[in-house]
Amino acid sequence: MFRKRLPPEEERRVKANDREYNEKFEYASNYIMTSKYNIITFLPVNLFEQFQEVANTYFLFLLILQLIPQISSLSCYTTIVPLALVLSITAVKDAMDDYFRHKSDNHVNNRQSQVLIRGLLQSEKWMNVRVGDIIKLENNQFVAADLLLLSSSEPHGLCYIETAELDGETNMKVRQSVSVTSELGDNLSSFDGEVVCEPPNNKLDRFCGTLYWREKKYPLTNQNMLLRGCVLRNTEACYGLVIFAGPDTKLMQNSGCTKFKRTSIDRLMNTLVLWIFGFLVCMGTILAVGNAVWEREVGSLFQSYLPWEPPVNNFLFNAFLSFWSYIIILNTVVPISLYVSVEVIRLGHSYFINWDQQMFCSQCNTAAEARTTTLNEELGQVEYIFSDKTGTLTQNIMSFNKCSISGQTYGEITDPLGPQPKSLDFTPFNPLADLDFCFYDDALLESVKVGDKHTHEFFRLLSLCHTVMSEEKSEGELVYKAQSPDEGALVTAARNFGFVFRSRTPGTISTTEMGRPVTYTLLAILDFNNIRKRMSVIVRNPEGRIRLYCKGADTVLLERLHPCNQELMNITSDHLNEYAADGLRTLALAYRDLSEDQWESWSESHRSADKATDFREDLLSAVYEQIEQDMMLLGATAIEDKLQEGVPETIAVLSLANIKIWVLTGDKQETAVNIGYSCKMLTDTTEVFIISGHTVQSVRQELRTAREKMIQLSQTTDGGKEPGMEGWGEPYLSGNGLNEGQEGRGEKQMEGSLPPSSSCVMDNISGEFALVINGHSLAHALEGDMETEFVLTACACKAVICCRVTPLQKAQVVELIKKHKKAVTLAVGDGANDVSMIKSAHIGVGISGQEGIQAVLASDFSFSQFRFLQRLLLVHGRWSYLRMCRFLCYFFYKNFAFTMVHFWFGFFCGFSAQTVYDQHFITLFNIVYTSLPVLAMGIFDQDVPDRRSLEYPKLYEPGQLNLLFNKKEFFICITQGIYTSVVLFFVPYAVLSDATQSNGVPLADYQTFAITTATALVIVVSVQIALDTGFWTVINHVCVWGSLCSYFSIMFVLQSQGLFRSFPSQLNFVGCARSTLLQPIVWFTIALATAICVVPVLAFRFLKLDLKPQLSDTVRYTQLVRQKKRKPAGRNVGGPWRGAGSVSESRLGARGGSRRSGYAFAHQEGFGELITSGKNMRLSSLALTSFASRHSSSWIDTLRRKKHTHGHTPASASGECSPAPSCVSGSVPPLSNSCSVLGGSQDMPLEEEAGTAPAQNTLSAPAPSKETTSASEQEPDSAEAHTE
Amino acid sequence: MVKAKAKPGPLARRPDNSAFKQQRLPAWSPMLTAHTVLPFFYILALICLLLGVWLLLTVQSTQEMKLFYTEAKTCAECFEKRENVSLAAEECRCTVTFLIEKAFKGDVFFYYGLKNFHQNLRRYMDSRDDGQMVGRKSNLKNPSLYCSPFSQDQNGLPVAPCGAVANSIFNDSFTFTYHKSASQNIPVPLLRNGITWYTDKNIKFRNPRMGNLTLDQVFEGTTHPPYWQKPVNELDPDDPTNNGFINDDLIVWMREAAFPNFKKLYGVLCRDNKPFTKGLPAGNYSIEITYNFPAQRFQGRKQVVLTTLTWFGGQNHFLPIAYLVTSGLVLLTAVVLTVVWFKFGKGGQNMVE
């Protein structure tokens, strides 16, 4: 698969400690450069880049034309000034951006790392690290390059890393060195092994290579690699051999190039500019032909008064010159100020986003930020949202929410409308309680206090049956380190209810039960895996009784209960259903008493199964199955994967706005689906299709089946309205049927015939469908010809969830939709694993949450709560789009009206490229006279107030359908512009050509005509902007009236006597305004022209409004009526639209039967073995010390610290579980399932970063299950060793 | 409370709650409802109608007479003569007679008109030096490049005034005579000054500063434009305020017309003496034309226009008619809109649904 890559490097050979050998291959050094320019190259490169813009080149070309005196009908300053302005503003912006890139590059390149050179550890800058060097890493250091782990300070060559920067997974991962090298310890200076491995690639989860050392081969896998961007955790030090450096590292290979994003309006504008250029050429040609004819017929006779240009004495040459002259004159149809104005408007919108108080999160003191200021209007056109799950939809906080103990449910908050119930205070009862834990139902506490047997057993199970590690730095200061937040939550719950898990050894578990220390002997851990969906421990209590405790998914656990549990099981089942309907993750708990004999015989069979070499897994699980029978049900727990505030509501509103939401997560399928339910993307009426095939064939098959089913279902619901569908479904079945051999042919048929028809069929499908696809299936679905198939199926679904996806796949999915759907995509995420997605989507939104700020840095917009997305899109995006479209329509209209007058004048002035207006008017028209009103409209206009656009999400649709500014609208605008230009030219022409002033002086002189037309133009476009402006703020008034005033005052100033004396040739209009504008006939002309221009527009608008009102018009109208009535009764008017919202609201509350178990999330396979082997026991002690005295070497942390410098108010650390704890920064770890894990953290000296970083250790998105297989090779069943 | 910026606590970065920043500025959001649009249309139609009628009545009270003389009667001979370049210097006069049936009341304005003469060509219009004509000495001696090829003569002498515009000045002159009876011929007195814009005469056109020098001395070292018979300083030797660059005829000519058919003011009837105190009486008139301007070269036509004025200028039928037509169209639109609004828009019910 790597051979496919074309670059010359086919395999990489690296010899340790041998720079000379490695230099032969000229591998990239560890120097990283993300900046684009340096001081010398800046100007040429930047200018080169800028002139790649069509518009800039076009204006440069015009400028050159204007420098030719024979052609120049306008002086060149009309182009030079704006062009220079545009170029320099852009250059300054680019320079600033690049400066910051330089700074961060420098920072990274100059980080120190310890390199083993000639047996000595030397400090080297990162950029000087070479492939083949051996470097030493210390705890909490960033990994400098992709390293092969050679040895570690930990036993067995283990080391722990955090890969959040790389893939966003916040749990720790274990890496292990090859045993031969780990034995070397620190003595690596003589190590001269050679690694032969694959060339650089971007696959984060795989590596294959071979280590040759002392004539032996050792296979290398990803398990042996430390990738750049990871952070070493809980490991004192380790040594690694640099395999890939700098740009070759997987991190850099994955980062992708930063693409300059432009909006669809930008692209449309560029197309239109090209069209307009074509239009210009046409106009120029027409006029040049006219000129040729005129010169031949008339001009030649006129030569005695005006001889032709000397060089070539013929009319054709004259026509040629006239062509270029007209190009110059008419170029104002696309003035440079268009581009400047667009940027200004976008900047204004960005500021409004930054200023929006309603997108300010007070918990984390973060306001929304528009980091890219050029994408605003695209926010109003989003059709697909790709969302990360962890940290974006959820807070990544698990809280023990409810439980059911022997048929009694606890934790129900009876009156949701009543006063916020107080969180229970555990401290008087239990000094070891975690202060962050909150639970509201004191019945449970009572039950514990009374000593209810079942309740005690319930919490005893929770305190024993898990793989959590604990650390106790000082008495009572417990820190749990759970592999998954779920487990942490459960153990913490038990802790608070008096069953405190205190410590463990490979063979014992020490707890404090109701204040009494108890030590259990741990006999076996029956570990979790995906198929079993449960875990058990077998313990011997101090009295010597052996008991098996089991917790697991209810589906599997309830089957294995003793029959006598039937009644309890029914009650508990009901409870489980209730919990599941609330979107909680459920677990069922059970125990079984074992006799000594049972245990003996079982442990015997267990041992033999464990020693088996073939099918060990299967044998083990069969053995486990044996003993996990006839269990007694204890109860069930319900854990809430806390969603961020307002997520379901936001998703509901966004989907009402016709935005499709896809969740792309690295999490497991179960987790993802569960979240899908809890945030109401999936409901019980939704038909969920799960694609989890492992081969192309099976994925294809699954996709097709799904599609067929969709068609069937929608047919049944539609009552067979579309008979055509059947015809489509049939060939699928036959072509794709059982005969695999014909697959290829059938496929081709389909490729050829289906997509056009099927895609339209699929578009029409209605129904609640959802697609869940797994990472490995997705990999196939993204391959070549499967793409269309996948898109077809996925886009027919209301919701799509992709789980277990890699960062790159996230980007691929986004690209796929971009490619096939021509829709605007938005990606939202918070972690480093979302960066690629954020970068490749049209709009990237970063949630400035807990997983570092990489996502934010790569994003275009950032804020701290997912729910702000609705405001960003429905309010700001919608407004931006509306404003931008109105702006563009008006702008093109205005400039056509302005410019086309020259065209008509051409027919009267012998096509000689004489302008109608004064040159200064031409220069100032777009910059001064008409810029501010349209800018004010473009920045401040609102059709409906923000509240309404949230109330009626349907208002968002015009943006998605691109209704407000498209080619049709553009043509309407320019038609209107041309009409106006006709009126503006011919009315004054007809009036003035025969008119005189009241003192007899004729009015038909050129200057009077110019002033009349110009004044009429300014007035007409001002009236037009007045009509277009829908929201007259003070600023709009000032701008419109101010512009009119400025026109008259500037005109009078420029035509004043004093200025004329200084520049007689340039300002030869002296006195013209006075003598013209004092004439009543001029004003009658202007009034007439204005009326003729405005009346049709007004009539059409009125008709459109009257006959085909848009939703926004109606909303606006009702608003208006309401304002007039000033009665609250008007509120009902919005009923019909509101209804749409409330329908889904009401459904949200419905309780359905699909029960979803949470067990799958709670565990990671293999940790049981790690625990029983005792291998990782050191981890804990080390972890603690590192907790207290963490020094962040992370530049990202530094940045983050800057961001949070103000965030240090100690938020209430105890009790109060704020609605959005995810935002709490400062002293309460924002990442934390702080309720459960960092309970004792109050006493801890919290350093600045402690708030953000440490908690990451304890959290884990479930990691790939093969994580610890290395450990299992070593001592598979030390559990038994201890028991014996 | 030293500064607003020093907000403490978790809200330190909260954006200001100002109406501007929160986009809550009080605003007026007008809407094109039937209640505003339809009355507006009717009122507009009414206003246009009234204006049109009023203007029409005003225009009706003016009188105008146009007389083409390019090849009329005796002028045909001169026309032929001017066609021949070799005879260009030769003087030629001709006479045209005409009848005024109804007396012209009030001030009467005399214009000469040209058809098909393009004063609005770009290069023609550029071919002048305003710096020279405002009296800058440097420009007098070194006319602007735009004036070429009329900036210097063969000998390298600068042309004053330079450029194609000045060179092509209309140089016919007219003498009007009123034939009160067969024997009584009364010359019609014309005021030949005060026919320019005030600003042109007093600001835009200035003779070079003279000091002690006479006008002739100032213009020494320059030559007249090739088509001129006399130098600029001899345009009106009698009146120093009408000589040189500030000659009214020159100024009038230099104000280029916007369209190829134009008229320019030649003079105003002097109403000091009888029988012209009330304007031009009805009767026979004749014009003696000093025929200099060669119209045949550009296939142009020359005319004389006599007109009386009202407060808004000379006779101009377009404007009132345009107003009346507009009024009619607006009314029609208004009616159609009303019907549509009533029939199809259900009286605005579309909005409420």
Side-chain angles (χ1 to χ4, degrees), chain A residues 400-437:
Chain A
F400 180 80
N401 202 301
K402 286 176 188 171
C403 61
S404 157
I405 300 172
S406 63
Q408 176 69 43
T409 180
Y410 298 96
E412 196 83 46
I413 296 166
T414 41
D415 184 11
L417 296 173
Q420 180 83 26
K422 274 199 69 166
S423 171
L424 290 181
D425 185 9
F426 292 95
T427 31
F429 153 75
N430 178 3
L432 288 169
D434 183 337
L435 296 176
D436 287 340
F437 180 79

Side-chain angles (χ1 to χ4, degrees), chain A residues 665-909:
Chain A
T665 174
D667 258 330
K668 286 181 187 143
Q669 183 183 318
E670 291 88 342
T671 326
V673 170
N674 207 330
I675 289 301
Y677 278 102
S678 59
C679 62
K680 317 296 184 207
M681 278 177 66
L682 309 179
T683 55
D684 291 321
T685 54
T686 317
E687 188 78 20
V688 182
F689 300 97
I690 295 178
I691 311 290
S692 55
H694 281 269
T695 64
V696 183
Q697 291 310 333
S698 57
V699 172
R700 190 192 304 274
Q701 189 61 46
E702 280 171 336
L703 283 173
R704 284 181 184 167
T705 329
R707 214 155 52 219
E708 279 152 25
K709 188 136 183 240
M710 279 181 211
I711 290 166
Q712 271 170 19
L713 284 170
S714 70
Q715 261 175 339
T716 51
T717 50
D718 289 357
K721 267 181 224 158
E722 289 168 87
M725 279 184 194
E726 281 166 64
W728 173 79
E730 292 304 317
Y732 245 22
L733 284 169
S734 54
N736 186 32
L738 303 166
N739 195 337
E740 291 283 52
Q742 285 183 349
E743 180 71 33
R745 216 167 40 154
E747 205 175 288
K748 260 181 206 141
Q749 258 176 10
M750 274 172 271
E751 290 297 314
S753 63
L754 283 171
S757 62
S758 62
S759 62
C760 82
V761 169
M762 294 308 287
D763 282 344
N764 294 333
I765 275 185
S766 59
E768 296 267 319
F769 301 117
L771 189 76
V772 178
I773 185 162
N774 251 308
H776 46 81
S777 311
L778 191 63
H780 295 303
L782 293 174
E783 277 169 24
D785 60 318
M786 291 286 287
E787 278 185 3
T788 41
E789 198 122 4
F790 174 57
V791 171
L792 215 57
T793 316
C795 291
C797 298
K798 288 259 150 68
V800 177
I801 297 174
C802 306
C803 24
R804 282 253 162 257
V805 291
T806 63
L808 198 68
Q809 273 179 330
K810 288 186 177 186
Q812 280 173 339
V813 171
V814 175
E815 293 288 349
L816 185 73
I817 294 301
K818 273 170 79 177
K819 188 169 124 197
H820 287 271
K821 277 294 178 184
K822 303 263 177 299
V824 177
T825 56
L826 179 144
V828 48
D830 72 325
N833 57 337
D834 306 316
V835 168
S836 62
M837 163 171 95
I838 284 173
K839 277 185 178 169
S840 58
H842 290 107
I843 302 165
V845 176
I847 304 281
S848 47
Q850 309 116 11
E851 290 191 24
I853 59 161
Q854 283 232 316
V856 171
L857 286 179
S859 68
D860 305 307
F861 297 91
S862 73
F863 40 72
S864 50
Q865 297 268 296
F866 181 78
R867 70 190 152 102
F868 294 154
L869 200 58
Q870 62 175 325
R871 197 170 164 81
L872 183 74
L873 296 185
L874 297 188
V875 177
H876 289 284
R878 198 181 153 281
W879 273 346
S880 278
Y881 175 70
L882 177 92
R883 291 163 177 171
M884 187 58 75
C885 292
R886 287 192 173 174
F887 166 82
L888 288 175
C889 282
Y890 176 76
F891 210 84
F892 283 113
Y893 151 78
K894 178 184 85 174
N895 284 294
F896 268 81
F898 166 59
T899 309
M900 287 305 287
V901 174
H902 297 306
F903 180 75
W904 312 118
F905 189 52
F907 291 88
F908 294 85
C909 68

Side-chain angles (χ1 to χ4, degrees), chain A residues 70-73 294 298 301-302 304-309 318 325 352 354-357 360 362 365 876 879 883 905 908-910 912-914 940 942 985 989-991 993-1002 1004-1009 1030-1033 1035 1057 1060-1062 1064-1065 1068 1070-1072 1074-1075 1080-1081 1084 1087-1088 1092 1095 1098-1099 1101-1103 1105-1107 1109 1113-1114 1116-1117 1120 1137 1202-1203 1206 1209, chain B residues 9-17 20-23 25-34 37-38 40-41 44 51 54-55 66 109 111 116-118 120-125 129-131 134 136 149-150 164 168 195 197-199 202-204 227 255-260 263-265 293-294 297-299 309-316 318-319 322-323 326 330 333 337 340-341 344-345 348 350-353:
Chain A
Q70 277 81 7
I71 292 175
S72 169
S73 38
W294 189 88
V298 185
L301 305 170
F302 203 65
S304 55
Y305 294 122
L306 187 69
W308 283 335
E309 286 290 335
N318 250 306
S325 305
F352 280 133
N354 295 347
W355 284 334
D356 194 339
Q357 262 196 331
F360 172 80
S362 46
N365 193 16
H876 289 284
W879 273 346
R883 291 163 177 171
F905 189 52
F908 294 85
C909 68
S912 63
Q914 175 59 40
F940 300 108
Q942 302 181 6
F985 177 79
Y989 164 71
V991 176
S993 60
D994 209 23
T996 60
Q997 293 188 4
S998 42
N999 63 2
V1001 176
D1005 66 291
Y1006 167 76
Q1007 296 192 338
T1008 304
F1009 178 71
F1031 194 71
W1032 282 84
T1033 62
I1035 299 163
Q1057 194 176 333
F1060 172 73
R1061 291 250 161 80
S1062 321
S1065 303
N1068 55 12
V1070 60
C1072 189
R1074 202 180 68 177
S1075 80
I1081 194 167
F1084 282 125
L1088 181 68
I1092 297 177
V1095 163
L1098 214 54
R1101 295 227 170 140
F1102 175 72
L1103 276 183
L1105 202 67
D1106 197 34
L1107 297 178
D1113 298 327
T1114 0
R1116 196 182 157 97
Y1117 182 74
L1120 206 72
W1137 298 284
K1202 271 186 206 150
K1203 251 183 123 55
H1206 301 286
T1209 36
Chain B
L11 302 181
R13 286 145 172 247
R14 185 161 74 177
D16 296 337
N17 189 14
F20 174 74
K21 289 189 172 181
Q22 302 306 318
Q23 306 195 61
L25 284 176
W28 171 57
S29 17
M31 213 182 170
L32 299 179
T33 55
V37 175
L38 295 180
F40 171 77
F41 271 45
L44 187 66
L51 269 177
W54 181 34
L55 291 178
K66 291 180 180 174
F109 294 78
Y111 303 88
N116 206 24
F117 188 93
H118 286 79
N120 57 2
L121 300 179
R122 175 170 60 85
R123 287 189 301 116
Y124 180 86
M125 291 184 78
D129 189 348
D130 286 300
V134 82
R136 289 197 168 177
F150 305 108
S168 58
I195 55 175
W197 290 13
Y198 172 83
T199 43
N202 296 292
I203 297 163
K204 201 170 173 185
Y227 293 181
R255 180 153 289 282
E256 299 109 332
F259 305 105
K263 63 183 183 196
K264 284 180 186 284
L265 196 52
F293 195 73
R297 285 188 198 160
F298 55 92
Q299 294 175 336
L309 294 186
T310 61
W311 56 269
F312 87 97
Q315 199 168 56
N316 189 342
F318 177 80
L319 199 59
Y323 266 109
T326 310
V330 172
T333 318
L337 287 187
V340 167
W341 174 68
F344 303 100
N350 274 356
M351 299 289 255
V352 191
E353 268 164 26

Side-chain angles (χ1 to χ4, degrees), chain A residues 1110-1236:
Chain A
Q1110 304 288 308
L1111 179 56
S1112 59
D1113 298 327
T1114 0
V1115 171
R1116 196 182 157 97
Y1117 182 74
T1118 49
Q1119 177 92 2
L1120 206 72
V1121 170
R1122 212 174 305 176
Q1123 270 173 7
K1124 274 190 189 152
K1125 286 185 182 164
R1126 299 240 174 241
K1127 266 195 277 177
R1131 207 183 294 165
N1132 304 338
V1133 185
W1137 298 284
R1138 270 212 82 89
S1142 50
V1143 166
S1144 66
E1145 284 301 325
S1146 66
R1147 195 186 289 161
L1148 300 185
R1151 299 205 147 157
S1154 62
R1155 188 193 301 163
R1156 299 171 295 279
S1157 161
Y1159 197 74
F1161 335 108
H1163 288 235
Q1164 266 177 301
E1165 192 177 5
F1167 268 91
E1169 286 186 280
L1170 209 57
I1171 287 169
T1172 46
S1173 70
K1175 262 189 194 173
N1176 63 345
M1177 281 304 151
R1178 265 197 67 190
L1179 157 78
S1180 359
S1181 58
L1182 196 107
L1184 252 195
T1185 47
S1186 73
F1187 250 73
S1189 60
R1190 165 155 302 160
H1191 273 282
S1192 169
S1193 58
S1194 153
W1195 55 283
I1196 287 167
D1197 273 356
T1198 328
L1199 273 172
R1200 185 160 48 193
R1201 190 160 32 177
K1202 271 186 206 150
K1203 251 183 123 55
H1204 287 282
T1205 33
H1206 301 286
H1208 270 277
T1209 36
S1212 60
S1214 62
E1216 159 72 10
C1217 261
S1218 68
S1222 66
C1223 296
V1224 180
S1225 70
S1227 62
V1228 171
L1231 231 198
S1232 68
N1233 36 3
S1234 47
C1235 308
S1236 53

Side-chain angles (χ1 to χ4, degrees), chain A residues 117 325 499 628 630 665 736 763 796 832 872 884 950 1023 1104:
Chain A
I117 298 174
S325 305
F499 289 79
E628 287 163 337
D630 295 332
T665 174
N736 186 32
D763 282 344
L872 183 74
M884 187 58 75
L950 290 173
V1023 171
K1104 207 173 146 194

Side-chain angles (χ1 to χ4, degrees), chain A residues 519-636:
Chain A
T519 301
Y520 292 88
T521 314
L522 178 63
L523 298 178
I525 295 182
L526 283 58
D527 204 5
F528 164 85
N529 74 26
N530 269 327
I531 304 147
R532 282 164 39 78
K533 291 186 181 170
R534 61 189 183 273
M535 82 164 281
S536 309
V537 289
I538 301 175
V539 289
R540 191 197 297 270
N541 70 6
E543 290 88 54
R545 281 224 317 275
I546 299 174
R547 192 168 261 191
L548 174 138
Y549 290 108
C550 179
K551 67 179 181 187
D554 42 47
T555 43
V556 289
L557 201 119
L558 296 185
E559 291 167 7
R560 291 171 174 76
L561 293 181
H562 195 270
C564 69
N565 283 302
Q566 194 58 44
E567 198 176 330
L568 178 58
M569 195 170 94
N570 289 341
I571 301 169
T572 312
S573 261
D574 289 346
H575 290 160
L576 283 169
N577 284 340
E578 277 174 32
Y579 299 159
D582 289 344
L584 303 175
R585 302 176 174 196
T586 55
L587 280 180
L589 311 182
Y591 71 94
R592 179 185 179 190
D593 282 317
L594 296 176
S595 68
E596 203 70 39
D597 295 342
Q598 275 172 319
W599 158 247
E600 283 298 340
S601 64
W602 181 79
S603 91
E604 189 58 44
S605 55
H606 178 220
R607 220 175 341 222
S608 64
D610 205 20
K611 279 178 184 150
T613 44
D614 304 328
F615 310 113
R616 177 171 167 272
E617 297 280 315
D618 294 342
L619 285 173
L620 271 180
S621 69
V623 172
Y624 290 163
E625 183 82 36
Q626 263 175 29
I627 195 129
E628 287 163 337
Q629 293 293 344
D630 295 332
M631 294 184 287
M632 305 297 289
L633 185 62
L634 266 176

